Amino acid sequence: QVQLVESGGGLVQPGGSLRLSCAASGFALGSYAVGWFRQAPGKERELVSCITSRTDSTYYADSAKGRVTISRDNDKSAVYLEVSSLKPEDTAVYSCAVPITRLNTDYGCEKTGYDFWGQGTQVTVSS
């Protein structure tokens, strides 16, 4: 079955860090750009970071720069999002997605259309 599964979320204190994982089943994640998104209650979903296929070019939202790192391990068909210096406003459901109909997006992952999604993992930042 073709699917994306996120893991690694949980409850963390402000200033803490998390490593989120996005694992693909049924297809080769390395053939696609991958985006990490988040959606907080009452807010629109927003792109946090993304990484291209093959070239491993990355994009970070302004709010993520300096404290977020995206990486991929194509042998494991996985993409990771490391987030540090977490703030209460980072509380959201974090989801990964791919442009499933667009093979090999090697540049401009922030501009591509993402149409296949995981179910998300909850990140709660609170003391």
Side-chain angles (χ1 to χ4, degrees):
Q1 185 176 2
V2 176
Q3 61 180 356
L4 289 170
V5 179
E6 302 93 339
S7 62
L11 176 64
V12 296
Q13 294 185 338
S17 62
L18 284 174
R19 177 180 164 96
L20 306 181
S21 297
C22 173
S25 298
F27 69 101
L29 194 60
S31 296
Y32 299 89
V34 178
W36 274 102
F37 297 78
R38 71 182 185 185
Q39 187 167 28
K43 295 185 178 180
E44 301 250 331
R45 184 170 58 200
E46 62 178 341
L47 177 65
V48 178
S49 180
C50 61
I51 186 166
T52 62
S53 57
R54 298 191 294 194
T55 60
D56 289 354
S57 180
T58 58
Y59 165 86
Y60 298 97
D62 288 341
S63 62
K65 291 177 180 176
R67 62 192 188 99
V68 171
T69 300
I70 191 169
S71 61
R72 67 191 310 158
D73 185 340
N74 293 334
D75 290 337
K76 296 182 178 180
S77 202
V79 170
Y80 308 101
L81 189 75
E82 297 175 270
V83 187
S84 62
S85 301
L86 282 160
K87 310 169 184 177
E89 51 262 44
D90 293 322
T91 296
V93 174
Y94 286 72
S95 303
C96 62
V98 302
I100 198 68
T101 61
R102 300 172 180 87
L103 201 67
N104 291 324
T105 298
D106 297 337
Y107 298 96
C109 65
E110 73 276 16
K111 299 182 178 67
T112 198
Y114 294 90
D115 48 19
F116 188 72
W117 298 79
Q119 292 299 305
T121 184
Q122 176 71 48
V123 173
T124 302
V125 184
S126 177
S127 60

